[in-house]
Amino acid sequence: MIRRSLLLVAGVLALTTTLAQADDLMFRRVTRGFPETITQVQEVIRAHGYTVSRVQRVDVGLTSSGFQTAEYRLVFYGKAEEVHALSHAHPKLAAFLPLVVIVFAEGDETLLLATNPRWLARDFPDAELRPHFAQWSRDLEAILDEASAAP
Amino acid sequence: MPRSTSRRPKPLSATAALLFTALVSAAPVDAAEPTGEALYQRHCAACHGADGRGGVGVPLALPAFLRSVDDPYLRKTIRLGRPGRVMPAFSQLTDSEIGGIVAYVRHWGQYTPPKTPPPPPGDARRGASLFAARCSACHGAEGQGGHGTGVTFSRPRALAILPPALNNPGFLAAASDAQIYRTLAEGRSGTPMQSFLNQGLTPRDLADITAHVRGFGAATKPATAVAADEGPAILRESPYDRATTIDRLRSAIGAANLRLVRIQTLDQGLVPDGQEDQSQTIVYSCDFPFLNEALKIDPRVGLFLPCRITVLEHQGKVLVLAVNPKRLSPLFNNRELDQLCDRMYDTYLQIVEETVL
């Protein structure tokens, strides 16, 4: 029985190393309503030196098509020079730019979600890109922390 | 919880205790070490709720749940996750951090050791019949559990809790036979899971079902990382100039029954109006019924929906590219989403290839 359990644990551990890890996604719950949070997220993004390029209102598109949904928005952001330089040097990376944070309502709370930019390093191994991914990851972590902690 | 005492401390003892406390407080500790509560709020609250009432994840604060699962079960569940069932493996956390989270979860309720001995070895074959009759309606014929992410964000909840996947390797590695048996015997009040002893099954029946559930471990095909031959993005070179490629892309989007949402430059909004780089264009489109279906399965899917195709000029070539949903899907650890991502991949590929045909 113990041996069987150990084998199962070892099997699952081996499996989880081939799959995504918990920190590949950044997920925060904010105990505030959606309107304050979406504003807060944009302010914090700007405070970290990025430009918010667009807020895509997915919920509006869904409701205009007859579907019911709570608020669901995508906040795109980036730094113009960096986006320009990297998308021209690494065209495949353009599919992932500008960066994005999802903001959506759950009752009277709000959830923030983003892909950890460090994840991109698996598919874009160029040494030149690594510092960008690391910086984006640090900034995004701070952005999500500050947006979820701010009163 | 403070313990009552019948003896008052003497003043000197109290002073010594205060001095000791002050010294301990002043002792060098790792100030950066987050508390269990902070770790829970950071890593768990988004799915399980800040107060443990559940969301995508199970309601951890449910007293019947906490009474019936021991700490090793909680620790293994955090460490191993539930492959293919949204709950990720927190392999980046230390044992100490996981212990902190478990301690915090425990403040909602303690484990009650069972008064009965572990179940006797059961007859898995007999247990299979009982499982089919009594358990499969909720847990699935193969123990695959209920559909979806548990509950859906901001949408009606069909059940307070999703029937767990009993055949999941993460569950089987975490749950002991005694825990499975006990859950069958006692049920989980506050959920649809009721005591099977109260419904007329015998201890032997429960042991047989337990043996059958344990057998899922041998029968379950292991989840594998999704193959993603295309790499992170689907990329094709267009034989047409950029303007013609965009026209063809619009037609391909219509042919795929997607609604064109917006065409913009990649840097729109990042640079002042009129200074956009016209060599990089993003075309957004959406199949709203599909988006609605996908969000019901996993609301995180907005990370790569609506459909976005980029057309850009690079070294004299015109390239058409989209994110590869098959590459992104493993991030979400949701088998149901994998199937949707296969469909998304087919749609994106169809659009991109028709554009450059």
Side-chain angles (χ1 to χ4, degrees):
Chain A
M1 171 66 189
I2 291 172
R3 188 177 172 207
R4 188 177 59 183
S5 296
L6 286 173
L7 281 172
L8 196 52
V9 169
V12 180
L13 275 174
L15 176 63
T16 55
T17 58
T18 68
L19 297 173
Q21 300 302 298
D23 57 353
D24 285 338
L25 290 178
M26 295 174 161
F27 211 1
R28 300 284 190 279
R29 179 177 290 272
V30 186
T31 54
R32 290 191 309 277
F34 177 86
E36 311 95 283
T37 305
I38 187 93
T39 304
Q40 185 68 31
V41 166
Q42 294 174 74
E43 286 175 6
V44 173
I45 286 173
R46 292 187 186 104
H48 280 266
Y50 293 91
T51 301
V52 174
S53 61
R54 181 175 176 80
V55 178
Q56 188 161 322
R57 301 183 299 168
V58 176
D59 53 322
V60 174
L62 278 168
T63 50
S64 68
S65 298
F67 299 104
Q68 287 189 329
T69 181
E71 293 93 337
Y72 195 110
R73 309 275 162 91
L74 310 182
V75 180
F76 291 96
Y77 69 97
K79 293 178 179 175
E81 287 182 9
E82 191 177 39
V83 167
H84 179 86
L86 294 180
S87 60
H88 277 278
H90 306 273
K92 271 195 175 183
L93 190 59
F96 299 89
L97 296 174
L99 301 169
V100 64
V101 174
I102 299 183
V103 184
F104 58 100
E106 188 188 59
D108 55 3
E109 297 185 337
T110 310
L111 289 152
L112 312 178
L113 172 70
T115 310
N116 189 337
R118 272 188 320 195
W119 170 81
L120 288 166
R122 294 178 204 170
D123 283 315
F124 297 92
D126 311 58
E128 172 206 2
L129 291 173
R130 209 167 297 152
H132 293 280
F133 297 151
Q135 185 64 51
W136 292 346
S137 180
R138 283 193 297 273
D139 289 344
L140 186 54
E141 187 142 9
I143 286 166
L144 296 182
D145 283 347
E146 290 166 30
S148 53
Chain B
M1 188 176 290
R3 288 182 181 176
S4 63
T5 174
S6 59
R7 210 177 69 171
R8 283 172 161 269
K10 293 176 182 175
L12 188 58
S13 301
T15 306
L18 278 172
L19 183 61
F20 175 76
T21 305
L23 284 170
V24 168
S25 303
V29 293
D30 184 0
E33 179 79 16
T35 63
E37 180 178 7
L39 288 163
Y40 176 88
Q41 296 302 340
R42 183 178 197 81
H43 297 290
C44 317
C47 288
H48 293 283
D51 52 5
R53 282 187 302 174
V56 172
V58 299
L60 297 172
L62 197 68
F65 170 74
L66 289 170
R67 272 200 304 273
S68 62
V69 298
D70 57 19
D71 286 1
Y73 172 83
L74 294 173
R75 280 198 292 268
K76 284 181 189 169
T77 294
I78 296 168
R79 175 67 74 207
L80 303 174
R82 294 284 185 269
R85 295 280 290 182
V86 181
M87 170 79 183
F90 286 87
S91 51
Q92 83 278 21
L93 296 180
T94 65
D95 288 344
S96 166
E97 288 172 326
I98 288 177
I101 291 172
V102 170
Y104 180 71
V105 168
R106 278 288 172 219
H107 93 277
W108 287 311
Q110 293 301 313
Y111 170 65
T112 311
K115 292 170 185 164
T116 52
D123 177 348
R125 186 174 298 180
R126 186 169 174 277
S129 302
L130 288 164
F131 186 91
R134 301 283 190 152
C135 314
S136 63
C138 291
H139 291 283
E142 307 297 326
Q144 70 271 29
H147 293 293
T149 54
V151 296
T152 49
F153 293 98
S154 306
R155 290 158 198 265
R157 300 179 179 196
L159 287 171
I161 185 170
L162 182 76
L166 304 176
N167 69 359
N168 190 279
F171 170 80
L172 290 169
S176 65
D177 285 359
Q179 181 187 309
I180 296 169
Y181 179 90
R182 186 182 185 194
T183 304
L184 289 164
E186 298 180 1
R188 292 260 170 88
S189 65
T191 79
M193 178 75 188
Q194 300 300 308
S195 161
F196 280 103
L197 288 179
N198 291 346
Q199 295 177 52
L201 295 194
T202 65
R204 183 199 160 195
D205 294 334
L206 305 193
D208 292 347
I209 295 174
T210 300
H212 174 64
V213 169
R214 182 57 63 194
F216 286 140
T220 306
K221 290 177 188 171
T224 52
V226 176
D229 297 332
E230 288 274 359
I234 300 167
L235 186 146
R236 297 288 185 273
E237 184 181 341
S238 172
Y240 309 101
D241 63 26
R242 193 177 58 82
T244 307
T245 301
I246 293 171
D247 284 344
R248 290 183 61 84
L249 174 56
R250 295 174 67 147
S251 299
I253 285 169
N257 288 322
L258 271 65
R259 190 198 299 174
L260 185 68
V261 174
R262 192 174 70 257
I263 299 178
Q264 63 164 80
T265 61
L266 179 69
D267 59 1
Q268 184 176 318
L270 293 177
V271 297
D273 287 348
Q275 293 183 26
E276 295 92 347
D277 179 353
Q278 299 296 334
S279 71
Q280 298 178 319
T281 303
I282 302 174
V283 179
Y284 285 99
S285 59
C286 189
D287 175 348
F288 284 101
F290 180 83
L291 174 61
N292 187 58
E293 182 189 351
L295 286 171
K296 280 182 179 173
I297 289 175
D298 196 322
R300 302 169 298 174
V301 78
L303 277 176
F304 50 99
L305 279 176
C307 172
R308 165 190 157 149
I309 311 275
T310 305
V311 177
L312 51 83
E313 292 175 19
H314 179 67
Q315 297 177 344
K317 297 173 184 172
V318 174
L319 304 177
V320 182
L321 71 152
V323 296
N324 178 0
K326 288 187 180 183
R327 179 72 95 192
L328 286 162
S329 187
L331 291 177
F332 299 90
N333 188 33
N334 183 346
R335 276 198 192 117
E336 288 185 56
L337 187 59
D338 291 344
Q339 293 163 10
L340 275 182
C341 284
D342 286 349
R343 283 169 58 190
M344 265 186 253
Y345 171 83
D346 291 342
T347 303
Y348 290 8
L349 188 64
Q350 176 194 337
I351 291 171
V352 170
E353 295 206 323
E354 194 165 320
T355 301
V356 301
L357 191 64

